[in-house]
Structure formats: structure tokens, C-alpha cells
Amino acid sequence: MRVDEVFRLRCEEKKCALSFEMFPPKGELTLDRAREVAAEFAPLAPDFVSVTYSASGSGNAEATSAIASMISEELGVSSVAHLTCMGLSRSELAEKIDEFKAAGVQNVLALRGDPVPGQQVRDYRYAKDLIPDLVEAGFCVGAAAYPEGHIACDDLDLDVERLKEKQDAGASFLVTQLCFSNEELYRFRDRAARAGVTVPVTYGIMPFMSKQQLERMVFMCGASLPSPVIKLLARYEDDPSALRQAGMDYACRQIEDLVSHGVEGIHVYTMNRPDVARVCAGAVPREGRG
Ligand code: FAD
């Protein structure tokens, strides 16, 4: 199903959409291992599962469309294939579009991607330049949003103006970067509304699992660490399993609060972990699902 339709239905029912992000497993038998992961997600009845495209320079972009296709065709769950445009030429995009269509991909999350040293910008400088070509090709297109601002943009108002440009270019839903502070998320929601963003936004939540993982994420995307998170890190520094549990509990409290504030969607960064998906899904009201 098209994701804009998913959000329309959930909005009519006054329910919060639930989605998961997964990445193509590294190494051999990528599709088989992705199938095992996604098969554990399916009984949780997500509204869609999104599949990353070479995120963090992992170089596993080739598997994205096959995994997205497997999720929708074999598991009956709507899927979104991510696509980055950094370094892409028009003819390469045309080939990608053909590949996605042949795989039956309906939904694409249009992204710029992170700069790779030595890589030149070709025909698409920003995500907003990619979106019209994907819409024209018939895809339902989403884009990324940054509640605390993109790491390369210090001005939060300018950041939402650029977000609005992605909506104007044809994005019909937005997925946010992970964020550990609901106050930041609510401030972002108000800013985006003032800037004229009207398409549904699903809020990215990632339970922290370890201090190292948290440090990596925070440096990569510029998310802030609120003091309750820092206190949990300090309290459970020497107890990895208690820290993981605290991370899951914190994520669930964030989700429950977001749902009670009427957000359109929760997008769980699962890290390919069915336990993370299961626990977070449990914090989103279930009536009518599955
Ligand atoms: P853009 O919207 O193009 O913005 C990039 C930068 O350019 C921002 O600083 C913005 O402020 C600035 N900008 C935009 N328009 C203009 C303008 N007109 N003039 C000047 N500056 C401008 N990466 C991957 O490699 N693979 C993935 O699968 C992936 N999935 C992601 C999923 C989500 C939900 C999110 C939030 C991020 C994901 N990323 C992924 C990371 C993403 O590629 C990076 O954050 C990237 O740096 C920005 O991508 P974007 O599409 O938001 O870029």
C-alpha cells in the first residue's frame, strides 16, 4: 500500500501509525537474513517497514529494493525503500527507478545521503532535487526531517524552511531523525506547522543500548542528550543489561507521551532487533491492528 494512504487511513481512525526501520544485513545471504528479521516484525503489524540504502557508508545499497519487495510481497506489510542521490546522475537515477519498479517498490524515502570524501555532486545536490523525479515516476515519496536541525544547519527556522521545500517538491510524508527529547519534538512540530508543513510526520525513536552506541549516534546526527538519559547512563554504566533495559523503558515512555500528544506516527529505529521492535510496538495502542 502507498504510505500516504496508510497515513490517511490512520488519521481517519484517529490512530497513530507504527513503522520500523531496518538495514540490509551485511555479508552474504543478505536477503535470507533480512527475511528472518522482517518475519519477526510482521506479526507486530507495523503499518510499514522502511529499508535503508547504504546508510552510514555501509555500501549495501544493492539489497534495498529486493528487501523492500520481499517485505511487501511475501510478508504482506507495506514497505519503503530509502534512496540517496549524492553522486547520482540523471541516467543512474533512471536505472534505479527501473530497478525499483521491477521490484514492485511503491514508496521511496528520498534522501541526499552523507557526503563521501572525494565524491562529486552530479545532478542532484539536495533531496528536494530528487523528489520531483520520483513523484513523476509514480512513487509515493517521503523525506527526512530533523527535529533538532540537520547537523550541517545551525538555524532551526531555516532548517524547517528547507523541510517545507521538500514538501513543496512532492514529499507526502516525513520521517524524523532519532531524538531523545519529546520537548524538542514538540517544539519542532510547532516550528514545522508555522512553516506550513502539513504532510504527516512520523517520529523516529531509537532505544539506547550502550554508551558507545549512543555516543556514535549523537556525534553522527547531532541529537542532544537530555539529563534523564545522562543520569541513566551514569547509573548503569557498569551493568550493560540494566542499561539496555533502561534504554527500552525510556523509549517506551517517549512513545507513550508522543501518542498521548496525538502524533501521526512512531518510527522505530530497530537496529534489526526484533526485541526492540516488539517492546516499542507494545507502547503504541494496538486496537484494530494485526
Ligand atoms: P537534504 O534535505 O538535502 O539536506 C541536506 C543539507 O542541505 C541540510 O543541512 C539542509 O539544511 C541543506 N540544504 C537543503 N536545501 C538547501 C538549499 N536550498 N540551500 C542550502 N542548503 C540546503 N543516509 C543514507 O545514506 N541512507 C539511508 O538509508 C538513510 N536513511 C535516513 C533516514 C532518515 C529518517 C533520516 C533522518 C536520515 C537518513 N539518512 C540516510 C541520513 C541522511 O542521508 C543524512 O542526514 C544527510 O546528511 C541528509 O539527507 P537529507 O535527505 O535530509 O538531505
Side-chain angles (χ1 to χ4, degrees):
M1 192 192 277
R2 285 174 63 103
V3 164
D4 49 7
E5 183 64 6
V6 166
F7 280 111
R8 198 188 59 73
L9 292 173
R10 288 291 171 218
C11 176
E12 259 177 34
E13 298 163 348
K14 299 197 173 16
K15 295 220 174 93
C16 175
L18 168 68
S19 54
F20 298 142
E21 181 185 286
M22 66 177 289
F23 53 82
K26 293 200 183 92
E28 291 174 5
L29 301 176
T30 299
L31 186 59
D32 292 344
R33 292 198 291 121
R35 185 178 285 112
E36 286 167 21
V37 173
E40 298 225 37
F41 292 164
L44 303 170
D47 289 296
F48 63 90
V49 174
S50 82
V51 185
T52 65
Y53 188 87
S54 202
S56 317
S58 60
N60 50 10
E62 298 315 315
T64 299
S65 61
I67 295 173
S69 163
M70 174 272 292
I71 291 169
S72 48
E73 283 170 25
E74 294 180 28
L75 302 174
V77 174
S78 301
S79 63
V80 175
H82 295 201
L83 177 66
T84 60
C85 62
M86 195 93 194
L88 211 60
S89 68
R90 278 192 195 286
S91 61
E92 285 166 346
L93 179 66
E95 282 171 25
K96 260 299 154 200
I97 287 175
D98 288 347
E99 175 199 315
F100 276 22
K101 285 197 160 173
V105 168
Q106 280 187 296
N107 305 293
V108 181
L109 190 71
L111 299 146
R112 182 196 67 173
D114 285 316
V116 175
Q119 190 178 38
Q120 301 293 317
V121 172
R122 290 166 82 191
D123 291 328
Y124 304 91
R125 180 170 292 275
Y126 302 113
K128 73 173 164 63
D129 305 326
L130 172 67
I131 293 168
D133 286 2
L134 293 172
V135 172
E136 169 82 27
F139 296 106
C140 166
V141 181
Y146 300 86
E148 298 180 79
H150 183 259
I151 193 149
C153 181
D154 294 332
D155 181 337
L156 295 180
D157 289 321
L158 181 60
D159 205 70
V160 288
E161 277 173 34
R162 288 173 178 164
L163 183 61
K164 167 75 164 41
E165 286 176 359
K166 296 199 257 193
Q167 173 183 287
D168 294 345
S172 54
F173 66 99
L174 301 170
V175 183
T176 80
Q177 182 57 278
L178 62 93
C179 179
F180 297 106
S181 161
N182 284 7
E183 280 61 46
E184 292 286 357
L185 290 173
Y186 299 135
R187 276 196 284 273
F188 159 75
R189 183 162 73 165
D190 291 345
R191 243 187 349 267
R194 279 198 303 276
V197 172
T198 52
V199 296
V201 181
T202 184
Y203 290 79
I205 297 293
M206 189 177 82
F208 51 86
M209 296 277 121
S210 71
K211 196 173 168 192
Q212 292 74 3
Q213 171 235 15
L214 202 50
E215 279 168 358
R216 203 172 53 246
M217 294 314 301
V218 164
F219 277 104
M220 223 160 73
C221 72
S224 58
L225 283 186
S227 78
V229 174
I230 295 172
K231 286 178 183 166
L232 289 169
L233 285 177
R235 189 173 313 153
Y236 298 117
E237 195 168 7
D238 300 322
D239 187 344
S241 80
L243 182 61
R244 273 198 299 280
Q245 188 57 49
M248 296 268 218
D249 292 346
Y250 185 88
C252 287
R253 285 197 297 278
Q254 261 196 292
I255 293 172
E256 283 160 4
D257 183 69
L258 287 165
V259 171
S260 76
H261 281 74
V263 298
E264 291 124 325
I266 298 289
H267 186 70
V268 181
Y269 289 98
T270 68
M271 301 163 275
N272 285 11
R273 294 180 57 138
D275 57 338
V276 166
R278 198 173 311 115
V279 169
C280 291
V284 177
R286 315 298 301 148
E287 321 88 73
R289 286 188 199 286

